[in-house]
Amino acid sequence: MNKFDELITEYSYMFTKSYRIDTVSGVQQGHLKDNVFAADKTVSRKPILPIAIMDNVDAGVQKVQIGVWDLGRWKKIVVEREVLTNSSKIIKLANQGVPVGTDNSRLMAQYFNDLLAEYDEKIPRNPARSVMGWVEQDEKRLFMPYEAGIDFDGEDSYKYLYDAIKQRGTLQEWVDYCLPHRLCIEIRLVMAAAFASPLIELVGENPFVMHLWGGTGTAKTVSLLIAASIYGDPKPGKLVRTMDMTANAMRGTAAFLNSIPFCGDELQTIKSKWNGSYDQLIMQITEGIDRGRMKYNSIEDIKSWKCSFLFTGEEPCVKAGSGGGVANRVIQIEVSKKLVDDGNAVANFFRTHFGTAGPEYIGALQSGLFDIDGIYRSYFSDLIKTDTTDKQAGAMALMLTGDKIAHDVFWPDEPEMTTDMVVQYLASARQVDVSERAYQYACGVVSENSCNFTNSSRIVWGQANEDGTVYINRSVLARILTDAGYDFEACKKAWERNGYLLKRCDGRVSHSVKLNEIVTSCIKLKLPNQDQPQLTDFFGAIPFTED
C-alpha cells in the first residue's frame, strides 16, 4: 500500500456519501445511486483533505492541517479554519500549491465545511503552540518544542527559528568538546547566561542582558555560537541573529523564543538606529512585554517573553550616561584576550554538533531533582552581601544556578563556579547610581579643565578653592552633564544628600560668585579626595582621572 492509499484508507469514512477522492480525478462531489457513487462536479484536480484539527492554546484560534497530493507525495499545509470554509479567502491557498481558483473556490469551501462539520469528532485533534519555551498545558508546565504530541503552529515568519531548534551530532561529543573551553571564565559565563534563560520564569525573575564586548579577533562570536548550540543550530541566521533588525522584529523574536535565549551578534551595527545609545532598547527588551497596538477594530494581543539576551559587540552597551535602570539590567564583560586558540575550528565543530544538550537540560529541570528556587536564593543571598544591586545580584544568581545544574548534569568533575569568581563582573551600587556617575563625571571634567578655574584664563568656568571645593558656573555644569547624558536637576538632591553639593547658609543651591568681574550663578561642589574610592571602568571609560 502506497502513501496515498494509506492516508485515504485511514480517512475513508469521509468519502462514503457526497465525495470521492483518487489520484486520477482528484476530489469529486456526487451522490449515491444504487449504492454506487456517481460524480456530479469536480471539487479539486488534486486529492486534498483535512487530516488534523489543531487547537492553538496561545492564539485561541483553531487551525486545520490539510494534505494535498502533489508529485507523488502528501504536502501538509496548516491554515486557519476560517480560510478553508470561506470561498473568497480559500483562494489564498493557490500560492501554496492548492488547485483552487475563482471557478472552484465555492465548491472547495463547501467541501471543507461539510467534512469539518460532519466529521469534527472523528478528525484527530492535536494541541498546538505558537511559542517556544515554557507553556502551560492541562495544568502542567511543558517546554516547547521538546514535548511529544504538541504541534508547532506559529507564524510563517518564525518557522526558520523553529526549524533551527533541532539536534545534530551526539550529546557526549558536545559535552566532551565543551569541557576544555569552559576553563575560560568568559565562555563559561556566556553559557551560564544561556542555561539561565529557562530559569527566569521558574524563579520569577526578569529578563536580563549578558553583553560580551571588546576588539575584533577575540572570538566573541564563537562564544555566542557555543552558547546557542545548547538549544539548536547556532549558525548566523539561525539561533544566532544579526542585530541589524527593527525593534519590532527583535521583540517579536523574543516573544517567539519565550524561554530560549535570544543570541544577537555585533550590537554596534544598530547603534545609529538608537541615536548612539542602547538605553531604550535595553529597557524595552528587559521589560519582557511588548507594547499594545490598535488594529482598526481591536487591540492586538500583547506578547511577552522570559528569556535572557546574549549580545556581543565592540563597545559596552551601558555607557557612562546610561540610566540606573539600564545599568541594573546588564551584565557586561570586556574581552581583552583571545578566548579560543582556533576560532574557525571551534566554530566548525558547533556548526555540526548542536541541540543535544537542550532536551537533557530541560529534562533535568522538569525532573524535580533540583531545588531550583533554593539554589537561586542561596546564590542571591551571597551576592547581595557585596556592594552590588538587587537586579545585578538576581541576574548573576540566575547564571550561577544555570551553571550549577549544567555542571551536575554534564560536567560533574569540573570545579563549580563560585560567587567569588563572578563578583568582579557585577556593577556596584555606586556604578549603577546615575547621580554618583554624574558626580564622578563632573569632577573628571573639572580636573581635565582645571585651567578654566583661574581668573587668568581666557575662558573661566568657575573658581577652585583651597579647601577642596570648587565653584562652577551653573550653566556650564548643566551643559557638560547634558552632553554626557545626565541631568543636573535630577542629580542635585542626591548630591546634596551625599555631601557633594554645598548649599548657602540660607538653603539656596546657587552661589553668587564674581568671575571675570561678572557676578555669576555658581554651584559649589566638594571634590573627591585621595581616600575616596573612584568608579571603575565598568562602563567603558573611567569618568574621573587625577592630574
Side-chain angles (χ1 to χ4, degrees):
M1 186 178 290
N2 60 36
K3 292 182 179 180
F4 175 81
D5 292 332
E6 288 176 358
L7 194 65
I8 296 305
T9 299
E10 183 179 355
Y11 293 90
S12 60
Y13 56 82
M14 294 185 186
F15 308 102
T16 57
K17 295 181 181 179
S18 302
Y19 299 98
R20 279 289 186 272
I21 183 169
D22 59 56
T23 55
V24 177
S25 302
V27 180
Q28 299 286 320
Q29 183 189 54
H31 62 280
L32 290 177
K33 183 177 181 181
D34 298 328
N35 283 332
V36 177
F37 181 81
D40 296 326
K41 300 176 181 178
T42 298
V43 176
S44 169
R45 293 295 182 184
K46 293 180 181 179
I48 182 171
L49 73 161
I51 57 180
I53 294 175
M54 303 171 66
D55 292 309
N56 189 299
V57 181
D58 301 309
V61 175
Q62 190 175 86
K63 296 187 179 181
V64 180
Q65 186 180 58
I66 61 175
V68 183
W69 184 254
D70 188 33
L71 300 177
R73 66 181 182 87
W74 283 108
K75 178 181 179 181
K76 296 180 180 180
I77 301 171
V78 176
V79 59
E80 291 184 7
R81 184 167 181 157
E82 176 194 16
V83 173
L84 280 182
T85 56
N86 186 301
S87 59
S88 60
K89 294 182 179 180
I90 199 171
I91 295 179
K92 297 177 181 178
L93 298 182
N95 290 333
Q96 300 185 60
V98 176
V100 59
T102 55
D103 58 333
N104 69 330
S105 61
R106 186 178 297 276
L107 273 175
M108 189 172 288
Q110 184 62 48
Y111 164 69
F112 279 113
N113 190 61
D114 289 344
L115 294 188
L116 291 172
E118 188 168 356
Y119 303 107
D120 182 74
E121 295 182 358
K122 292 184 178 181
I123 299 174
R125 285 180 175 269
N126 299 332
R129 311 303 301 240
S130 53
V131 299
M132 299 295 98
W134 296 116
V135 294
E136 295 291 334
Q137 185 82 26
D138 298 329
E139 298 183 354
K140 296 180 181 178
R141 193 188 295 271
L142 307 177
F143 198 93
M144 287 287 289
Y146 303 143
E147 302 295 338
I150 303 180
D151 292 329
F152 168 66
D153 179 27
E155 298 178 29
D156 290 340
S157 56
Y158 297 119
K159 192 175 186 304
Y160 69 93
L161 268 178
Y162 174 78
D163 291 339
I165 307 172
K166 58 186 178 182
Q167 300 179 32
R168 181 174 294 181
T170 68
L171 175 61
Q172 195 58 53
E173 288 174 321
W174 184 87
V175 168
D176 292 342
Y177 196 87
C178 284
L179 183 58
H181 296 293
R182 287 172 59 81
L183 295 173
C184 172
I185 186 66
E186 291 88 353
I187 290 178
R188 187 163 176 177
L189 283 170
V190 176
M191 294 184 73
F195 282 123
S197 194
L199 303 178
I200 293 174
E201 183 173 336
L202 299 184
V203 302
E205 267 292 353
N206 293 318
F208 66 92
V209 173
M210 165 70 177
H211 181 56
L212 211 59
W213 69 277
T216 59
T218 53
K220 301 184 300 296
T221 300
V222 175
S223 303
L224 200 61
L225 294 180
I226 297 174
S229 73
I230 296 170
Y231 299 97
D233 190 343
K235 298 186 193 70
K238 300 292 186 177
L239 284 188
V240 172
R241 309 298 302 159
T242 173
M243 291 302 295
D244 190 14
M245 61 173 67
T246 65
N248 286 342
M250 194 176 302
R251 293 192 296 266
T253 301
F256 171 78
L257 292 170
N258 192 23
S259 310
I260 295 174
F262 181 112
C263 300
D265 196 25
E266 302 295 351
L267 182 64
Q268 72 278 355
T269 58
I270 60 171
K271 185 175 182 179
S272 60
K273 294 182 180 180
W274 297 92
N275 298 320
S277 170
Y278 307 107
D279 288 12
Q280 187 179 0
L281 169 66
I282 292 170
M283 291 301 294
Q284 286 184 10
I285 62 177
T286 56
E287 285 296 322
I289 188 167
D290 203 355
R291 295 174 294 178
R293 295 181 182 85
M294 282 293 297
K295 293 182 178 179
Y296 75 95
N297 62 349
S298 64
I299 299 177
E300 285 187 355
D301 291 335
I302 298 178
K303 299 177 180 179
S304 62
W305 54 89
K306 288 286 186 180
C307 63
S308 58
F309 292 81
L310 281 58
F311 293 156
T312 66
E314 296 180 355
E315 61 183 18
C317 62
V318 180
K319 302 300 182 66
S322 295
V326 174
N328 244 336
R329 291 166 166 80
V330 179
I331 304 291
Q332 64 179 16
I333 300 175
E334 181 180 7
V335 179
S336 56
K337 61 181 180 180
K338 200 170 183 179
L339 302 180
V340 297
D341 292 331
D342 189 343
N344 286 332
V346 174
N348 286 335
F349 175 86
F350 288 105
R351 291 189 184 106
T352 56
H353 297 76
F354 52 76
T356 53
E360 192 78 11
Y361 177 69
I362 297 301
L365 300 183
Q366 294 172 315
S367 68
L369 297 177
F370 293 94
D371 179 9
I372 298 171
D373 194 68
I375 297 172
Y376 166 77
R377 297 298 165 192
S378 177
Y379 282 127
F380 181 85
S381 178
D382 289 343
L383 291 168
I384 203 62
K385 293 175 184 176
T386 66
D387 63 347
T388 192
T389 67
D390 286 3
K391 282 188 170 61
Q392 285 275 295
M396 186 59 79
L398 281 168
M399 292 168 60
L400 287 170
T401 303
D403 184 82
K404 161 67 177 172
I405 296 172
H407 163 274
D408 291 355
V409 173
F410 302 119
W411 304 283
D413 295 330
E414 72 174 351
E416 289 193 24
M417 191 156 59
T418 66
T419 54
D420 290 339
M421 296 167 62
V422 300
V423 168
Q424 60 180 311
Y425 302 111
L426 296 176
S428 69
R430 294 180 69 237
Q431 289 170 328
V432 171
D433 187 342
V434 175
S435 64
E436 184 68 32
R437 284 186 276 132
Y439 168 69
Q440 295 280 350
Y441 179 80
C443 292
V445 172
V446 170
S447 174
E448 184 181 1
N449 298 274
S450 57
C451 60
N452 292 338
F453 289 85
T454 63
N455 283 324
S456 59
S457 174
R458 184 175 63 87
I459 300 175
V460 179
W461 284 3
Q463 173 184 301
N465 306 312
E466 294 183 359
D467 60 356
T469 63
V470 63
Y471 290 111
I472 181 170
N473 185 310
R474 182 166 183 160
S475 298
V476 171
L477 177 61
R479 185 179 70 248
I480 63 175
L481 289 177
T482 299
D483 290 345
Y486 301 111
D487 184 87
F488 172 67
E489 295 299 323
C491 296
K492 65 181 183 181
K493 289 288 186 183
W495 285 7
E496 180 187 348
R497 185 170 57 251
N498 293 330
Y500 303 152
L501 186 150
L502 305 177
K503 300 170 73 174
R504 288 173 26 170
C505 296
D506 60 6
R508 296 183 182 181
V509 172
S510 295
H511 297 254
S512 297
V513 180
K514 184 176 286 189
L515 303 176
N516 269 353
E517 303 302 322
I518 301 174
V519 176
T520 307
S521 177
C522 291
I523 300 299
K524 188 176 185 181
L525 297 180
K526 178 182 178 182
L527 297 176
N529 54 46
Q530 291 182 343
D531 298 327
Q532 184 173 336
Q534 304 302 315
L535 298 184
T536 67
D537 57 353
F538 178 81
F539 301 100
I542 301 176
F544 175 73
T545 54
E546 298 182 18
D547 290 335

